[in-house]
Amino acid sequence: MWQTVCVIFVLKAGFNLIILMNSKIQVLFDGSVTSPLGFLAGAVYAGIKPKIHEALDLSLLYSEVTCRVAAVFTTNKVKAAPIILDRDKLEKGMGVRAVLINSGCANACTGTEGMQNAVISAELAAEFLGISADEVMVSSTGVIGMQLPVEKISEAIPQIALSRDGGHKLAKAIMTTDTRPKEYAVEVTGEDYCFIIGGAAKGSGMIHPNMATMLAYITTDAAVEGDFLKKALREVADATFNMVIVDGDTSTNDTLMILSSGKAGNRVINAESDLAEDFKSALYQVCLGLAKSIAADGEGATRLIEVVVTGALSESDARKAAITIAGSPLVKTAVHGNDPNWGRIIAAAGRSGIEMDTEKTDVYIGPMCLLKSGQPMPFERTIASSLLDQPEVMLKVDLNMGEGSASAWGCDLSAEYVAINAEYTT
Amino acid sequence: MWQTVCVIFVLKAGFNLIILMNSKIQVLFDGSVTSPLGFLAGAVYAGIKPKIHEALDLSLLYSEVTCRVAAVFTTNKVKAAPIILDRDKLEKGMGVRAVLINSGCANACTGTEGMQNAVISAELAAEFLGISADEVMVSSTGVIGMQLPVEKISEAIPQIALSRDGGHKLAKAIMTTDTRPKEYAVEVTGEDYCFIIGGAAKGSGMIHPNMATMLAYITTDAAVEGDFLKKALREVADATFNMVIVDGDTSTNDTLMILSSGKAGNRVINAESDLAEDFKSALYQVCLGLAKSIAADGEGATRLIEVVVTGALSESDARKAAITIAGSPLVKTAVHGNDPNWGRIIAAAGRSGIEMDTEKTDVYIGPMCLLKSGQPMPFERTIASSLLDQPEVMLKVDLNMGEGSASAWGCDLSAEYVAINAEYTT
């Protein structure tokens, strides 16, 4: 049941994270958001999105005990009703017992009625679970401007069967144009402790697409102090989910949430704890796994593109350049066409607003150097092309100016992306 | 030969430009960059780009007298050799007699050899014309990293036949994946003056695509004082060319240049001149005409999208929101699919970083209001859809917060864009 993974090297992120052969962290085979102790989940088809084979559109994540919680929400000025509701609950500092998630309707730009519907949904879930509505978070993803069908949700909630392996169902139920569920879990084992972090995420697109919404739910049975949980989530999100780009659009509903049940029985982890680095490393690994799955499964994607920028004057510069390259339509189409058109890579870096000097810059496709100190290198086009014709493509820019480095993840841009997103809303 | 156009309303730009029935400005039928007095142009096929039917790839714009000049270049940190050379000449404050332009090779990221080739090209053109190389500007557009074939240019220049109606040939020779030449000229007639402003531009893409380079050359026979010429060009560019977005990538070679010959014999126009507003209005009209042509002929485009944002707290906010909406892949694909998915429009505004309040925001497709004060309006989907199925589509967001307004122009995103840009460099 265990698949041992040796993480050889992870590019340093905001918190200078380098995992070298961290044998304490093991990827769980068949892991899910309910792998950590104390979590159950289930899902049903409530009729919110059109019925297709095995469709699920309403899921519930439940914890046997009240969890510490931290979350990161969309930076979009236009925020969906559930985002506003969840944020308010978080600000009150309440613990969380459950998360109700629907796909098929974003409940965004739905005015007063939309906010009422979000409140009602939380109350319906609370009633079913016999807990307080204050302890229920709600998430939505789907078409903007459509009102949430609360009657359907009311009828469907009692049909949800919660189980310890219900995480897989949840991962399916939150999908929209995702072609596959995204799950990842690791177990961290030390001399006198053992805890699990699990997660489920959905990426970009709707069956009747509206927004490229990113939803991710992380659970852990580790006992984690609230402030540290918040800080760790923010830092890890900046190096993982925030470095994923599919089409540059930011949803009104983006949500990343972590629940800590404390069921593992470890001593409480805080910033000073000797377990702090292990926890952050494991959280990073789970978030990285989910984030890369989102990039690889971007709408119409046929490849995962990893962009590594090194030698920047600052980490902020490196991040800007990496995300601009990964998001460039010209870079994305070139990769799609196996076109080793390195000019587009350096040009994207050049427009990202960072400090750079062409005469110092190196550009690589995989291990192959195409530009060295601003001078074009002779290269075998067929080999460069074949380096792009891979499920995972690595593009690298070394600015040779400083110590800042960062990675970003994206996908190629295919005609299929256009086809998916040019369809009618209904 | 004259086509009278009454410009009813032009959205105010940086300089608060409102043209109401300005009957002084007439669009020239069949106008070109050589419509103003004193300008000649010609073009040949030098063999820089692959030979296709009627291919031209080397053109020369020539003025009988030394011109005052102003220019705006790419903001990309990676600048092509001709950009660096032209900027140096401009900074020395020299007048200009000629511009040599090649398509098929960007002469960008070409190191020391590339800079030498740019210098040599200017010298070759100067020798042919019997003028100083200091008075020759050079422009390139095409593949990055390829060295400029100066031998071919050397052989081709003497074959260029300059003529007064050579502007049309120039407009064709600077094209890359453009499907049609872009030209616009107006004549401004007052009681005791008459001058012409003409222009040619190219938009996004290469036959073997590399970068979406924007090149635009404006000429006028009006005598314009140097500082005012610079200021007027900068302001007009901000409201026109800088509000056009095809794919968000910024070329290493973008160039907008204006040459003033003074051959019209008018009194010199400066900031205090009574002709100043007429000149700016006419320049705005020429630049707007060319900029809209670029948007409408974006790679793979089937529609011109005009985005109007009003009621912003500042003009800067309005500009940010308009360009973000016009550049959103989700908005562009929705328009392509005739999908009245207004959620994508407000969501793009929401992520643009501006101040906004959803509860105050209205969203329109053409004349149809789909969101009023943050509340979704019932609307006839087939009519909304038909409003998108037009060669020119208008999207409008009224933020209802202040007086800031702006327009941006873009195009839909089609599968053809991907096809064009996924082709091989060679």
Side-chain angles (χ1 to χ4, degrees), chain A residues 76-77 109 209-210 247 249-250 328-330 333 337 339 341 344 347 350-351 354 376 381 385 413 418 421-425, chain B residues 76-77 109 209-210 247-250 328-330 333 337 339 341 344 347 350-351 354 376 381 385 413 418 421-425:
Chain A
N76 200 309
K77 282 270 162 60
C109 301
N210 213 294
D247 53 17
D249 272 303
T250 307
S328 158
L330 288 173
T333 46
D339 179 358
N341 199 332
R344 294 181 180 182
R351 75 168 159 92
I354 64 156
R381 183 165 299 274
S385 184
L413 174 56
V418 178
N421 282 297
E423 276 169 22
Y424 279 76
T425 337
Chain B
N76 199 309
K77 283 270 162 62
C109 301
N210 213 292
D247 54 17
D249 273 303
T250 307
S328 158
L330 288 172
T333 46
D339 179 358
N341 198 332
R344 294 181 180 181
R351 76 168 159 91
I354 65 157
R381 184 166 299 275
S385 183
L413 174 56
V418 178
N421 283 296
E423 279 169 20
Y424 279 76
T425 338

Short mmCIF file of all heavy atoms in Angstrom, two decimals, chain A residues 76-77 109 209-210 247 249-250 328-330 333 337 339 341 344 347 350-351 354 376 381 385 413 418 421-425, chain B residues 76-77 109 209-210 247-250 328-330 333 337 339 341 344 347 350-351 354 376 381 385 413 418 421-425:
data_model
loop_
_atom_site.label_atom_id
_atom_site.label_comp_id
_atom_site.label_asym_id
_atom_site.label_seq_id
_atom_site.Cartn_x
_atom_site.Cartn_y
_atom_site.Cartn_z
N ASN A 76 -9.58 38.10 -6.81
CA ASN A 76 -10.48 38.82 -7.70
C ASN A 76 -11.38 39.74 -6.87
O ASN A 76 -11.92 39.33 -5.85
CB ASN A 76 -11.31 37.84 -8.51
CG ASN A 76 -11.91 38.47 -9.76
OD1 ASN A 76 -12.53 39.52 -9.69
ND2 ASN A 76 -11.71 37.83 -10.89
N LYS A 77 -11.54 40.99 -7.35
CA LYS A 77 -12.41 41.95 -6.64
C LYS A 77 -13.85 41.46 -6.65
O LYS A 77 -14.63 41.81 -5.77
CB LYS A 77 -12.32 43.33 -7.29
CG LYS A 77 -11.07 44.10 -6.93
CD LYS A 77 -11.26 44.95 -5.67
CE LYS A 77 -9.93 45.37 -5.07
NZ LYS A 77 -9.11 46.18 -5.96
N CYS A 109 -21.91 36.81 -8.59
CA CYS A 109 -22.72 37.86 -9.22
C CYS A 109 -24.19 37.50 -9.15
O CYS A 109 -24.92 37.62 -10.14
CB CYS A 109 -22.30 38.10 -10.67
SG CYS A 109 -20.60 38.58 -10.85
N PRO A 209 -18.35 25.91 -19.63
CA PRO A 209 -17.31 26.63 -18.91
C PRO A 209 -17.68 28.07 -18.64
O PRO A 209 -18.38 28.71 -19.39
CB PRO A 209 -16.13 26.56 -19.86
CG PRO A 209 -16.73 26.41 -21.19
CD PRO A 209 -17.97 25.63 -21.01
N ASN A 210 -17.21 28.53 -17.57
CA ASN A 210 -17.48 29.89 -17.19
C ASN A 210 -16.21 30.53 -16.67
O ASN A 210 -15.78 31.55 -17.17
CB ASN A 210 -18.56 29.91 -16.11
CG ASN A 210 -19.40 31.13 -16.24
OD1 ASN A 210 -18.91 32.22 -16.04
ND2 ASN A 210 -20.64 30.97 -16.63
N ASP A 247 -4.69 30.00 -18.05
CA ASP A 247 -4.98 31.02 -19.06
C ASP A 247 -4.89 32.44 -18.49
O ASP A 247 -5.25 33.39 -19.16
CB ASP A 247 -6.34 30.79 -19.71
CG ASP A 247 -7.46 30.66 -18.67
OD1 ASP A 247 -7.24 31.06 -17.52
OD2 ASP A 247 -8.53 30.16 -19.01
N ASP A 249 -6.60 33.90 -16.37
CA ASP A 249 -7.83 34.42 -15.76
C ASP A 249 -7.93 33.93 -14.31
O ASP A 249 -7.57 32.80 -14.00
CB ASP A 249 -9.05 33.98 -16.58
CG ASP A 249 -9.36 34.98 -17.69
OD1 ASP A 249 -9.57 36.15 -17.37
OD2 ASP A 249 -9.37 34.59 -18.86
N THR A 250 -8.38 34.80 -13.42
CA THR A 250 -8.52 34.46 -12.00
C THR A 250 -9.99 34.34 -11.68
O THR A 250 -10.76 35.26 -11.94
CB THR A 250 -7.90 35.57 -11.12
OG1 THR A 250 -6.57 35.80 -11.56
CG2 THR A 250 -7.90 35.16 -9.67
N SER A 328 2.54 32.75 -21.25
CA SER A 328 2.59 33.38 -22.58
C SER A 328 1.91 32.51 -23.64
O SER A 328 2.32 31.37 -23.88
CB SER A 328 4.05 33.62 -22.99
OG SER A 328 4.14 33.73 -24.40
N PRO A 329 0.87 33.04 -24.30
CA PRO A 329 0.22 32.25 -25.35
C PRO A 329 1.20 31.84 -26.45
O PRO A 329 1.06 30.76 -27.02
CB PRO A 329 -0.84 33.21 -25.91
CG PRO A 329 -1.07 34.22 -24.85
CD PRO A 329 0.23 34.35 -24.11
N LEU A 330 2.18 32.69 -26.73
CA LEU A 330 3.14 32.35 -27.79
C LEU A 330 4.06 31.22 -27.36
O LEU A 330 4.41 30.35 -28.17
CB LEU A 330 3.94 33.59 -28.22
CG LEU A 330 3.13 34.63 -29.01
CD1 LEU A 330 3.94 35.89 -29.25
CD2 LEU A 330 2.65 34.06 -30.35
N THR A 333 1.77 27.99 -27.34
CA THR A 333 1.49 27.43 -28.66
C THR A 333 2.75 26.82 -29.27
O THR A 333 2.69 25.82 -29.97
CB THR A 333 0.91 28.48 -29.63
OG1 THR A 333 1.68 29.68 -29.53
CG2 THR A 333 -0.53 28.80 -29.29
N GLY A 337 3.25 23.00 -30.55
CA GLY A 337 3.69 22.65 -31.91
C GLY A 337 5.10 22.09 -31.96
O GLY A 337 5.68 21.99 -33.04
N ASP A 339 7.79 23.48 -31.29
CA ASP A 339 8.58 24.49 -31.98
C ASP A 339 9.60 25.09 -31.00
O ASP A 339 9.23 25.82 -30.08
CB ASP A 339 7.62 25.58 -32.49
CG ASP A 339 8.33 26.70 -33.20
OD1 ASP A 339 9.58 26.67 -33.29
OD2 ASP A 339 7.64 27.62 -33.68
N ASN A 341 11.16 27.53 -30.36
CA ASN A 341 11.21 28.94 -30.69
C ASN A 341 11.60 29.72 -29.43
O ASN A 341 10.79 30.42 -28.82
CB ASN A 341 9.79 29.33 -31.16
CG ASN A 341 9.78 30.60 -31.95
OD1 ASN A 341 10.65 31.45 -31.75
ND2 ASN A 341 8.81 30.73 -32.83
N ARG A 344 10.63 33.35 -28.11
CA ARG A 344 9.40 33.66 -27.37
C ARG A 344 9.61 33.55 -25.86
O ARG A 344 8.93 34.24 -25.10
CB ARG A 344 8.29 32.68 -27.78
CG ARG A 344 7.86 32.86 -29.22
CD ARG A 344 6.75 31.89 -29.56
NE ARG A 344 6.33 32.06 -30.94
CZ ARG A 344 5.33 31.36 -31.51
NH1 ARG A 344 4.70 30.46 -30.81
NH2 ARG A 344 5.00 31.58 -32.75
N ALA A 347 11.63 36.65 -24.80
CA ALA A 347 10.78 37.84 -24.98
C ALA A 347 9.72 37.93 -23.89
O ALA A 347 9.40 39.02 -23.42
CB ALA A 347 10.13 37.82 -26.36
N GLY A 350 11.35 39.21 -20.93
CA GLY A 350 11.65 40.62 -21.14
C GLY A 350 10.48 41.54 -20.90
O GLY A 350 10.65 42.70 -20.53
N ARG A 351 9.26 41.03 -21.09
CA ARG A 351 8.09 41.90 -20.88
C ARG A 351 7.51 41.72 -19.47
O ARG A 351 6.50 42.35 -19.14
CB ARG A 351 7.02 41.63 -21.93
CG ARG A 351 6.24 40.35 -21.73
CD ARG A 351 5.01 40.29 -22.62
NE ARG A 351 4.56 38.94 -22.79
CZ ARG A 351 3.65 38.35 -22.01
NH1 ARG A 351 3.11 38.99 -21.01
NH2 ARG A 351 3.27 37.11 -22.25
N ILE A 354 10.79 42.55 -15.07
CA ILE A 354 11.92 42.28 -14.16
C ILE A 354 13.20 42.94 -14.68
O ILE A 354 13.27 43.39 -15.82
CB ILE A 354 12.19 40.77 -14.03
CG1 ILE A 354 12.62 40.19 -15.40
CG2 ILE A 354 10.96 40.06 -13.50
CD1 ILE A 354 13.41 38.93 -15.30
N PRO A 376 22.92 33.57 -29.73
CA PRO A 376 22.23 32.34 -30.14
C PRO A 376 23.23 31.20 -30.34
O PRO A 376 24.29 31.42 -30.92
CB PRO A 376 21.57 32.71 -31.47
CG PRO A 376 21.84 34.15 -31.71
CD PRO A 376 22.85 34.64 -30.73
N ARG A 381 17.74 21.19 -34.45
CA ARG A 381 16.33 21.51 -34.29
C ARG A 381 15.47 20.28 -33.98
O ARG A 381 14.55 20.35 -33.17
CB ARG A 381 15.83 22.21 -35.56
CG ARG A 381 14.37 22.68 -35.51
CD ARG A 381 14.09 23.66 -36.63
NE ARG A 381 14.94 24.83 -36.50
CZ ARG A 381 14.64 25.88 -35.74
NH1 ARG A 381 13.51 25.89 -35.07
NH2 ARG A 381 15.45 26.90 -35.67
N SER A 385 13.20 19.93 -30.76
CA SER A 385 11.78 19.69 -30.98
C SER A 385 11.31 18.46 -30.21
O SER A 385 10.24 18.46 -29.59
CB SER A 385 11.55 19.51 -32.49
OG SER A 385 10.19 19.36 -32.76
N LEU A 413 -1.03 25.39 -25.16
CA LEU A 413 -2.31 25.96 -25.62
C LEU A 413 -2.69 25.28 -26.92
O LEU A 413 -1.97 25.36 -27.91
CB LEU A 413 -2.17 27.48 -25.84
CG LEU A 413 -3.37 28.21 -26.45
CD1 LEU A 413 -4.63 28.01 -25.63
CD2 LEU A 413 -3.07 29.69 -26.58
N VAL A 418 -9.69 26.34 -27.11
CA VAL A 418 -10.64 27.25 -27.74
C VAL A 418 -12.00 26.58 -27.86
O VAL A 418 -13.04 27.16 -27.53
CB VAL A 418 -10.13 27.71 -29.12
CG1 VAL A 418 -11.16 28.62 -29.79
CG2 VAL A 418 -8.80 28.42 -28.98
N ASN A 421 -13.83 26.42 -24.55
CA ASN A 421 -14.27 27.70 -23.99
C ASN A 421 -15.15 28.53 -24.91
O ASN A 421 -15.67 29.56 -24.50
CB ASN A 421 -13.06 28.51 -23.54
CG ASN A 421 -12.54 27.99 -22.23
OD1 ASN A 421 -13.23 28.04 -21.23
ND2 ASN A 421 -11.34 27.44 -22.25
N ALA A 422 -15.32 28.10 -26.14
CA ALA A 422 -16.20 28.82 -27.05
C ALA A 422 -17.59 28.22 -27.07
O ALA A 422 -18.49 28.73 -27.73
CB ALA A 422 -15.60 28.84 -28.46
N GLU A 423 -17.78 27.15 -26.30
CA GLU A 423 -19.11 26.55 -26.23
C GLU A 423 -20.09 27.48 -25.53
O GLU A 423 -19.70 28.37 -24.80
CB GLU A 423 -19.04 25.23 -25.45
CG GLU A 423 -18.60 24.07 -26.30
CD GLU A 423 -18.28 22.87 -25.40
OE1 GLU A 423 -18.79 22.83 -24.27
OE2 GLU A 423 -17.53 22.01 -25.87
N TYR A 424 -21.36 27.20 -25.73
CA TYR A 424 -22.39 28.01 -25.09
C TYR A 424 -22.47 27.73 -23.59
O TYR A 424 -22.17 26.65 -23.13
CB TYR A 424 -23.74 27.72 -25.74
CG TYR A 424 -23.94 28.47 -27.00
CD1 TYR A 424 -23.30 28.05 -28.16
CD2 TYR A 424 -24.73 29.60 -27.06
CE1 TYR A 424 -23.46 28.74 -29.34
CE2 TYR A 424 -24.90 30.30 -28.23
CZ TYR A 424 -24.27 29.87 -29.37
OH TYR A 424 -24.42 30.55 -30.54
N THR A 425 -22.89 28.78 -22.85
CA THR A 425 -23.07 28.63 -21.40
C THR A 425 -24.14 27.59 -21.10
O THR A 425 -24.06 26.88 -20.12
CB THR A 425 -23.53 29.97 -20.78
OG1 THR A 425 -23.16 31.03 -21.63
CG2 THR A 425 -22.93 30.16 -19.42
N ASN B 76 9.62 46.09 -23.86
CA ASN B 76 10.26 44.82 -23.52
C ASN B 76 11.73 45.06 -23.18
O ASN B 76 12.42 45.80 -23.88
CB ASN B 76 10.14 43.85 -24.70
CG ASN B 76 10.35 42.39 -24.28
OD1 ASN B 76 11.32 42.06 -23.62
ND2 ASN B 76 9.43 41.54 -24.68
N LYS B 77 12.20 44.43 -22.08
CA LYS B 77 13.60 44.59 -21.68
C LYS B 77 14.53 44.00 -22.74
O LYS B 77 15.69 44.41 -22.85
CB LYS B 77 13.85 43.88 -20.34
CG LYS B 77 13.34 44.66 -19.14
CD LYS B 77 14.40 45.60 -18.58
CE LYS B 77 13.80 46.67 -17.69
NZ LYS B 77 13.12 46.13 -16.51
N CYS B 109 18.08 39.38 -30.27
CA CYS B 109 18.90 38.35 -29.61
C CYS B 109 19.94 37.83 -30.59
O CYS B 109 20.16 36.62 -30.71
CB CYS B 109 18.07 37.19 -29.08
SG CYS B 109 16.84 37.69 -27.89
N PRO B 209 5.73 32.09 -37.41
CA PRO B 209 5.50 33.08 -36.36
C PRO B 209 6.55 33.04 -35.28
O PRO B 209 7.10 32.01 -34.96
CB PRO B 209 4.17 32.64 -35.78
CG PRO B 209 4.06 31.20 -36.09
CD PRO B 209 4.78 31.00 -37.36
N ASN B 210 6.78 34.18 -34.75
CA ASN B 210 7.77 34.29 -33.71
C ASN B 210 7.27 35.23 -32.64
O ASN B 210 7.14 34.87 -31.50
CB ASN B 210 9.07 34.82 -34.30
CG ASN B 210 10.23 34.22 -33.56
OD1 ASN B 210 10.43 34.54 -32.41
ND2 ASN B 210 10.96 33.32 -34.19
N ASP B 247 -2.60 39.05 -27.96
CA ASP B 247 -2.36 37.91 -27.08
C ASP B 247 -1.59 38.29 -25.82
O ASP B 247 -1.20 37.42 -25.05
CB ASP B 247 -1.67 36.77 -27.82
CG ASP B 247 -0.40 37.22 -28.51
OD1 ASP B 247 0.11 38.30 -28.16
OD2 ASP B 247 0.08 36.51 -29.40
N GLY B 248 -1.37 39.58 -25.60
CA GLY B 248 -0.72 39.99 -24.37
C GLY B 248 0.79 39.91 -24.42
O GLY B 248 1.48 40.37 -23.53
N ASP B 249 1.32 39.29 -25.47
CA ASP B 249 2.77 39.25 -25.60
C ASP B 249 3.27 40.56 -26.21
O ASP B 249 2.63 41.13 -27.09
CB ASP B 249 3.20 38.04 -26.45
CG ASP B 249 3.37 36.79 -25.61
OD1 ASP B 249 4.18 36.85 -24.65
OD2 ASP B 249 2.70 35.78 -25.86
N THR B 250 4.38 41.05 -25.71
CA THR B 250 4.95 42.30 -26.20
C THR B 250 6.22 41.97 -26.97
O THR B 250 7.11 41.31 -26.45
CB THR B 250 5.32 43.22 -25.02
OG1 THR B 250 4.19 43.36 -24.19
CG2 THR B 250 5.80 44.57 -25.51
N SER B 328 -8.56 38.95 -22.04
CA SER B 328 -8.91 37.71 -21.33
C SER B 328 -9.20 36.57 -22.31
O SER B 328 -10.13 36.65 -23.13
CB SER B 328 -10.14 37.93 -20.45
OG SER B 328 -10.78 36.69 -20.17
N PRO B 329 -8.45 35.47 -22.24
CA PRO B 329 -8.72 34.33 -23.12
C PRO B 329 -10.15 33.82 -22.97
O PRO B 329 -10.75 33.38 -23.95
CB PRO B 329 -7.71 33.27 -22.68
CG PRO B 329 -6.64 34.01 -21.97
CD PRO B 329 -7.30 35.21 -21.35
N LEU B 330 -10.70 33.89 -21.75
CA LEU B 330 -12.05 33.39 -21.55
C LEU B 330 -13.09 34.30 -22.19
O LEU B 330 -14.08 33.84 -22.75
CB LEU B 330 -12.34 33.20 -20.05
CG LEU B 330 -11.60 32.02 -19.40
CD1 LEU B 330 -11.78 32.02 -17.89
CD2 LEU B 330 -12.06 30.69 -19.98
N THR B 333 -12.64 33.72 -26.09
CA THR B 333 -13.24 32.47 -26.59
C THR B 333 -14.76 32.54 -26.52
O THR B 333 -15.44 32.02 -27.40
CB THR B 333 -12.74 31.24 -25.80
OG1 THR B 333 -12.81 31.51 -24.41
CG2 THR B 333 -11.33 30.88 -26.19
N GLY B 337 -17.37 32.04 -29.62
CA GLY B 337 -18.45 31.06 -29.63
C GLY B 337 -19.83 31.67 -29.49
O GLY B 337 -20.79 30.97 -29.21
N ASP B 339 -21.08 33.28 -27.14
CA ASP B 339 -21.57 32.88 -25.82
C ASP B 339 -21.70 34.12 -24.93
O ASP B 339 -20.71 34.71 -24.54
CB ASP B 339 -20.57 31.89 -25.23
CG ASP B 339 -20.96 31.42 -23.84
OD1 ASP B 339 -21.98 31.90 -23.31
OD2 ASP B 339 -20.23 30.59 -23.28
N ASN B 341 -21.60 35.09 -22.12
CA ASN B 341 -21.16 34.65 -20.81
C ASN B 341 -20.60 35.85 -20.06
O ASN B 341 -19.39 35.98 -19.86
CB ASN B 341 -20.10 33.57 -21.05
CG ASN B 341 -19.87 32.72 -19.84
OD1 ASN B 341 -20.07 33.18 -18.72
ND2 ASN B 341 -19.45 31.50 -20.07
N ARG B 344 -17.68 36.22 -17.36
CA ARG B 344 -16.26 36.31 -17.69
C ARG B 344 -15.80 37.76 -17.83
O ARG B 344 -14.65 38.08 -17.59
CB ARG B 344 -15.97 35.57 -18.99
CG ARG B 344 -16.19 34.08 -18.89
CD ARG B 344 -15.88 33.41 -20.21
NE ARG B 344 -16.09 31.97 -20.13
CZ ARG B 344 -15.88 31.13 -21.13
NH1 ARG B 344 -15.45 31.59 -22.28
NH2 ARG B 344 -16.09 29.85 -20.99
N ALA B 347 -15.62 39.22 -14.28
CA ALA B 347 -14.53 38.55 -13.57
C ALA B 347 -13.17 39.08 -14.04
O ALA B 347 -12.24 39.23 -13.25
CB ALA B 347 -14.62 37.05 -13.75
N GLY B 350 -12.63 42.27 -12.46
CA GLY B 350 -12.35 42.04 -11.05
C GLY B 350 -10.91 41.66 -10.76
O GLY B 350 -10.40 41.94 -9.68
N ARG B 351 -10.26 41.02 -11.72
CA ARG B 351 -8.87 40.63 -11.47
C ARG B 351 -7.87 41.64 -12.01
O ARG B 351 -6.66 41.44 -11.93
CB ARG B 351 -8.60 39.25 -12.08
CG ARG B 351 -8.43 39.24 -13.58
CD ARG B 351 -7.88 37.92 -14.08
NE ARG B 351 -8.18 37.71 -15.48
CZ ARG B 351 -7.37 38.09 -16.47
NH1 ARG B 351 -6.24 38.68 -16.22
NH2 ARG B 351 -7.72 37.85 -17.74
N ILE B 354 -8.21 46.91 -10.25
CA ILE B 354 -8.82 48.22 -10.07
C ILE B 354 -9.77 48.24 -8.88
O ILE B 354 -10.12 47.20 -8.34
CB ILE B 354 -9.63 48.63 -11.33
CG1 ILE B 354 -10.82 47.66 -11.53
CG2 ILE B 354 -8.74 48.66 -12.54
CD1 ILE B 354 -11.95 48.24 -12.32
N PRO B 376 -28.05 40.00 -11.68
CA PRO B 376 -28.21 39.47 -13.04
C PRO B 376 -29.58 39.85 -13.60
O PRO B 376 -30.58 39.76 -12.91
CB PRO B 376 -28.12 37.96 -12.87
CG PRO B 376 -27.82 37.69 -11.44
CD PRO B 376 -27.97 38.95 -10.66
N ARG B 381 -31.31 34.98 -24.57
CA ARG B 381 -29.99 34.47 -24.92
C ARG B 381 -29.71 34.52 -26.42
O ARG B 381 -28.59 34.84 -26.84
CB ARG B 381 -29.85 33.03 -24.39
CG ARG B 381 -28.48 32.41 -24.60
CD ARG B 381 -28.32 31.16 -23.76
NE ARG B 381 -28.45 31.49 -22.35
CZ ARG B 381 -27.42 31.93 -21.60
NH1 ARG B 381 -26.23 32.08 -22.13
NH2 ARG B 381 -27.62 32.22 -20.34
N SER B 385 -26.65 36.46 -28.03
CA SER B 385 -25.72 35.68 -28.83
C SER B 385 -25.53 36.30 -30.22
O SER B 385 -24.41 36.38 -30.73
CB SER B 385 -26.26 34.26 -28.95
OG SER B 385 -25.37 33.45 -29.64
N LEU B 413 -10.58 34.76 -29.83
CA LEU B 413 -9.52 33.74 -29.84
C LEU B 413 -10.08 32.50 -30.51
O LEU B 413 -11.04 31.90 -30.03
CB LEU B 413 -9.08 33.42 -28.41
CG LEU B 413 -8.08 32.29 -28.21
CD1 LEU B 413 -6.80 32.51 -29.02
CD2 LEU B 413 -7.73 32.12 -26.74
N VAL B 418 -4.16 29.20 -32.59
CA VAL B 418 -3.28 28.13 -32.12
C VAL B 418 -2.55 27.51 -33.31
O VAL B 418 -1.34 27.30 -33.27
CB VAL B 418 -4.08 27.06 -31.37
CG1 VAL B 418 -3.17 25.92 -30.93
CG2 VAL B 418 -4.78 27.67 -30.16
N ASN B 421 0.26 29.72 -34.54
CA ASN B 421 1.40 29.88 -33.64
C ASN B 421 2.06 28.59 -33.20
O ASN B 421 3.07 28.62 -32.52
CB ASN B 421 0.98 30.70 -32.42
CG ASN B 421 0.91 32.17 -32.79
OD1 ASN B 421 1.92 32.76 -33.13
ND2 ASN B 421 -0.29 32.72 -32.76
N ALA B 422 1.47 27.46 -33.57
CA ALA B 422 2.09 26.18 -33.21
C ALA B 422 2.94 25.64 -34.35
O ALA B 422 3.58 24.61 -34.21
CB ALA B 422 1.02 25.17 -32.81
N GLU B 423 2.95 26.37 -35.46
CA GLU B 423 3.78 25.93 -36.60
C GLU B 423 5.26 26.06 -36.26
O GLU B 423 5.64 26.78 -35.37
CB GLU B 423 3.49 26.81 -37.82
CG GLU B 423 2.25 26.39 -38.56
CD GLU B 423 1.87 27.45 -39.59
OE1 GLU B 423 2.74 28.25 -39.96
OE2 GLU B 423 0.70 27.46 -40.00
N TYR B 424 6.06 25.37 -37.04
CA TYR B 424 7.50 25.41 -36.82
C TYR B 424 8.09 26.75 -37.23
O TYR B 424 7.59 27.43 -38.11
CB TYR B 424 8.18 24.29 -37.61
CG TYR B 424 8.10 22.99 -36.90
CD1 TYR B 424 6.91 22.26 -36.88
CD2 TYR B 424 9.19 22.49 -36.21
CE1 TYR B 424 6.83 21.06 -36.20
CE2 TYR B 424 9.10 21.28 -35.53
CZ TYR B 424 7.93 20.58 -35.54
OH TYR B 424 7.85 19.40 -34.86
N THR B 425 9.18 27.11 -36.54
CA THR B 425 9.90 28.34 -36.88
C THR B 425 10.43 28.28 -38.30
O THR B 425 10.50 29.28 -39.00
CB THR B 425 11.11 28.54 -35.93
OG1 THR B 425 10.91 27.80 -34.75
CG2 THR B 425 11.31 30.00 -35.62
#
